[in-house]
Each structure stands twice: as C-alpha cells, then as structure tokens.
Amino acid sequence: MAKSTEGYKGLKLFELPWTVFAIFSAIVLAATYLGVLPQGMAGCFAFMIVIGTILNEVGNRTPIIKDYLGGGAIVVIFGSAALNYFNLIPKLLDAENKVYAMGIKLDLIGNITTFFKPTGAFLDFYIAALICGSILGMNRKLLAKAAARYFPAIFGAIVLSFALAGIAGAVMGFGVIKSVLLIALPIMGGGMGAGAVPLSKIFESSGTMTADEAISTMTPAVAIGNAISIVMAGVFSKVLKGDLNGKGALMKTGDANAQEYEISPEMQKKRDHVNVTNLGKGLFVSCSFFAWGYIVSKFWTMLVPSVSIHAYAWMIISVAVCKVLDIIPEDIEIDCFQWFQFIMKNLTTTLLVGIGICYLELSTVIASFSLTYLVLCLLTCIGAFVGAAFIGKLVGFYPLEAGITAGLCMANMGGTGDVAVLSAADRMELMPFSQISSRIGGSIILIIGSLLLSILGGML
C-alpha cells in the first residue's frame, strides 16, 4: 500500500509534497509544449494551477516582494502577463496563416481567454463565493455594533484619500477624474480578487473602458498602495506617541474590544467540520445571491436609468442586510463560509493567472507608470490614514489604531495585506477590525465605484 502524504513535513506546493507536485506538473507542462493539452476547462485548470502555484511560491519567498509588494499575488499576475507578452505560452499569433507561438499548434491562450471572457464566467463564480462567504462568515456583533463608530472612520479614509488624489491629479496634470477612478478607487478597494477584478467588470459594464484596460491601469496602483501601507504602518506605530497611540487598543472607553468580536470556539468548531454536502449548499446559495443581485439591478435600472449600480453592489447590500438581521440560518452561513474558503484557498492563484493572461496588458502598465503615478498612490494612502485617524478620534478611537485599521487596511491588498500591515505595526490583535475594512469596506468601494462610474465614467 502506498504511503500517505498527510505526515509530510517538507516543502509543499498546492498542499502536495513538492516531489508529487513536480511529477504532475511535468505531465501538464509536457502536454502543453507537445501541443496535446486537453481543450476546455480540464486543460486550462491544470496549466493555471501549475503556473500559479510556482509563481506564488516564488513571490512568497522573494525578499522585499514578499514583505512590501504583495508577495505571491503580484508575482502570479505579472509573471503570467509576462509569459503571455513574450509568447512563452502556446497561442495563435496569426489567425489567417495559422502561425503559433514557438511553432506549437495549441492555442492555450485562446482557450484560457474563452474560459475567462467574454462573459467573465469564472470571475463571477469566484466573486460570488467571495462576497457571500466573507460577509456571512463575519461575527454579527462585529458587523452591527462596530458600524456606528467604525464606518464613519472608513468613510473618512475614503473621502480624504479621494480628495488628495483628485487635487494632486489636477495639479500634476493627471486629471481629477482619472486620479480618483483609476488610482484611489482600486487602492481603497481591498486588493485584487475582491477589489480591482470586480471593479474592472464594473468599468466594462458601464462602457467606460474594457476590463483589460481597467485591470492594466489599476494593478500597479494596488501593488504600490499595498507596499506604501505596510511601510506607513511600521513607521507611524513607532513615531506616534501619547494620546495618539492606543498601544493596540482601538477604543478609548474600552467598552468594545476585539475579543468581543471574535468567532466563538463553538462556531469555529462547526466551521472546521467540512463535508462535501456543505460545499454544494454554499455554492448554490452564493450563486443564488448573485442572481438576486442581477434581479435588483434590473429593476433599479428600470426605475432609475440615469444611475447604474452593478449587480455586485446589490449582492453585497443584500448579503449584509441578511447577516445583520439574522435572516440566514446559521448552518447555511457556515456552508457559504466553507465554500468561500474552499474557492479562496484552492483557486485564487488560478484566478490570478487568468487575470494576468487575459486582462493585464504589460504595454499599458509600462505606459501608465510614472513618478506622477507613484505620488498619487502615496497621497491616496496618506489620505486613507489621516482621514480614518481624524474621524476615529472624533468617535472615540485612538487615532493611530483607527488610521491603521480603517485606513491602511482599506488601502492594502485584502487578507494578506492586513496581516502584513498589522505585523508591521505590531497590532495583530486588531485583525477583527481590519477584516471589516477589507471585506465590508472593500464592498463599499464597489458600490461607490458603480455610482461614480455611472456619473463620471464618460469624463475619463
């Protein structure tokens, strides 16, 4: 009988011993470069898992990149885009003469593009799981009780970051609307999977620009904003003293601390008990909420045709209302959370490979990057921190902790960015609050994005 891999202690890739992963990867890559990789979903998934896992590991182990530039996620996106840009992945280069990259008659890029576009089916599938599971997986007290004080701090971060980016954009000749929509908006959106990716779809649905163009322009901003947020968290936590620094406590009164909002051991035990039926129910409920978002969007468009709000936004609002009002049974909430975890842990790198190949044009990225771009990213992050710190102080928070959680944890790259920012600030006990910023705050940005694009999109 073959030995189990459960007790393996060495390097693992895609949660497999690296030797096992290497064998299966060799099979996939051999099929790819012999031109016999299966068509459709099977071949696409196999190739993207191999490439995504390898690039993710490189990013998570490379100094500076792993600490300040988003780690594996950024390397997967840009690495995949580079492989496509330099024609290192088999694809059809000339439809009329049947000219293929490297002479291999396999249009893998075309297959992956069909999988991701034009409907964006896989993106929608991923985002539906992410939104539904992440919101329903939050502690209800954290969502309901903290909202009265915490959300004003988030809005303070959003308003000032947008204002500074817009003013600087006007002064530096980049443009107010362009600075807000293409730099401040994605930086404050909560990373790639829950931020820039759905935002790009919203851009496309509004007719402002294609999703490809939006991703190519926004991705550098997300990466730079993440790096700046981590550095600022470390610096400000050491520089700010006295009444500005709560030394890890968010609220001055002490009547609501992070422990009150943690997931109970009983709930955690239920979450950890996963079975395939739970995953199936989570899939169904997530997709149903997504369909509901489209129903509401249709009726909204009929009633208010001048203001377009994307189905993502309506889904977010609907799920949040159901969570706060305790409408969804607990077991179904757990099912959705488990499905979200399954998708996030197993298919995030796959999604990022698709984004890099199908949506990120390196030529556009290179053309958009400049000193002006860097300054606008820096001012967006400064605005996020100062705006959250100022409003946080008014509602009874310590400014440093408010600026870090409600500000910089809005401007970083989601969950991994939260860990990096709080680690740099030595404030890991504030993780429950940072999750509000990444999950609910990021969702608010999608709603704001829908509204702004319906009003200002034609001015880009």
Side-chain angles (χ1 to χ4, degrees):
M1 180 180 292
K3 294 182 179 179
S4 171
T5 64
E6 289 296 321
Y8 184 80
K9 300 296 184 182
L11 173 65
K12 285 190 173 185
L13 297 173
F14 204 68
E15 291 303 312
L16 293 168
W18 73 267
T19 50
V20 176
F21 180 83
I23 292 170
F24 286 112
S25 296
I27 294 172
V28 173
L29 293 176
T32 299
Y33 292 100
L34 288 172
V36 295
L37 188 73
Q39 303 289 307
M41 184 186 296
C44 289
F45 263 130
F47 178 81
M48 289 192 292
I49 286 173
V50 170
I51 297 300
T53 301
I54 294 172
L55 292 176
N56 187 62
E57 189 69 17
V58 171
N60 287 335
R61 290 178 177 272
T62 304
I64 299 177
I65 291 177
K66 70 183 179 70
D67 295 320
Y68 300 109
L69 297 178
I74 286 300
V75 173
V76 173
I77 295 169
F78 279 95
S80 302
L83 290 174
N84 184 24
Y85 183 77
F86 292 108
N87 297 324
L88 297 177
I89 302 175
K91 65 178 176 179
L92 183 62
L93 297 176
D94 189 328
E96 292 184 3
N97 299 318
K98 299 292 183 182
V99 177
Y100 291 84
M102 298 172 290
I104 299 170
K105 292 189 176 181
L106 170 67
D107 187 14
L108 181 54
I109 293 295
N111 294 340
I112 294 174
T113 302
T114 300
F115 187 42
F116 271 77
K117 298 163 66 177
T119 61
F122 184 61
L123 285 176
D124 288 344
F125 183 70
Y126 179 95
I127 292 167
L130 185 73
I131 291 173
C132 190
S134 63
I135 294 176
L136 292 181
M138 292 186 69
N139 181 294
R140 186 168 289 104
K141 286 184 178 179
L142 183 63
L143 183 59
K145 287 189 176 181
R149 297 187 184 187
Y150 196 75
F151 282 121
I154 286 180
F155 279 107
I158 294 172
V159 170
L160 190 56
S161 64
F162 282 18
L164 289 184
I167 293 170
V171 172
M172 302 178 78
F174 194 82
V176 176
I177 306 302
K178 192 176 176 183
S179 300
V180 171
L181 294 182
L182 297 180
I183 294 182
L185 192 66
I187 285 179
M188 300 298 287
M192 291 299 301
V197 174
L199 276 174
S200 71
K201 297 273 290 177
I202 295 173
F203 268 86
E204 188 167 68
S205 67
S206 70
T208 305
M209 61 176 64
T210 66
D212 312 48
E213 294 169 335
I215 279 286
S216 297
T217 306
M218 292 190 292
T219 298
V222 174
I224 295 169
N226 186 63
I228 292 172
S229 297
I230 296 167
V231 173
M232 285 177 60
V235 171
F236 287 159
S237 63
K238 294 176 176 61
V239 171
L240 299 181
K241 306 291 184 181
D243 290 340
L244 300 177
N245 191 329
K247 298 180 180 179
L250 178 64
M251 300 185 71
K252 292 184 177 181
T253 58
D255 60 346
N257 52 47
Q259 287 73 25
E260 180 184 354
Y261 302 132
E262 292 177 350
I263 301 298
S264 68
E266 295 78 13
M267 175 63 76
Q268 191 61 53
K269 185 176 180 180
K270 292 178 182 178
R271 288 183 174 187
D272 292 340
H273 182 66
V274 182
N275 63 55
V276 292
T277 304
N278 290 355
L279 298 179
K281 290 189 287 185
L283 184 160
F284 174 64
V285 173
S286 296
C287 292
S288 297
F289 264 115
F290 193 48
W292 171 254
Y294 273 92
I295 291 174
V296 179
S297 179
K298 179 178 178 63
F299 281 101
W300 174 266
T301 302
M302 292 169 58
L303 294 172
V304 191
S306 59
V307 180
S308 174
I309 300 180
H310 196 274
Y312 289 155
W314 290 118
M315 179 187 179
I316 292 161
I317 294 169
S318 301
V319 175
V321 169
C322 287
K323 178 67 180 181
V324 171
L325 297 181
D326 201 12
I327 294 174
I328 307 296
E330 182 183 272
D331 60 316
I332 295 179
E333 288 187 350
I334 293 172
D335 295 340
C336 292
F337 176 80
Q338 290 177 347
W339 173 241
F340 147 65
Q341 290 288 309
F342 173 83
I343 290 294
M344 183 181 68
K345 291 179 180 179
N346 291 292
L347 297 181
T348 295
T349 55
T350 304
L351 174 81
L352 297 179
V353 170
I355 291 169
I357 289 174
C358 301
Y359 291 95
L360 185 61
E361 293 287 344
L362 282 186
S363 56
T364 305
V365 172
I366 294 169
S368 66
F369 190 81
S370 63
L371 178 61
T372 298
Y373 195 94
L374 183 62
V375 170
L376 290 172
C377 292
L378 174 62
L379 289 174
T380 297
C381 294
I382 291 175
F385 179 86
V386 175
F390 177 74
I391 299 298
K393 181 176 176 60
L394 295 181
V395 299
F397 292 161
Y398 285 101
L400 174 62
E401 280 70 17
I404 290 173
T405 55
L408 298 181
C409 286
M410 282 284 290
N412 63 22
M413 287 185 65
T416 56
D418 289 343
V419 172
V421 165
L422 295 181
S423 295
D426 194 21
R427 299 289 192 281
M428 288 301 291
E429 65 270 27
L430 295 177
M431 181 60 74
F433 295 102
S434 73
Q435 290 298 294
I436 291 182
S437 300
S438 294
R439 296 179 182 184
I440 305 302
S443 300
I444 290 171
I445 289 295
L446 295 184
I447 296 172
I448 292 173
S450 288
L451 292 170
L452 288 179
L453 283 167
S454 67
I455 299 169
L456 305 174
M459 300 171 65
L460 270 177

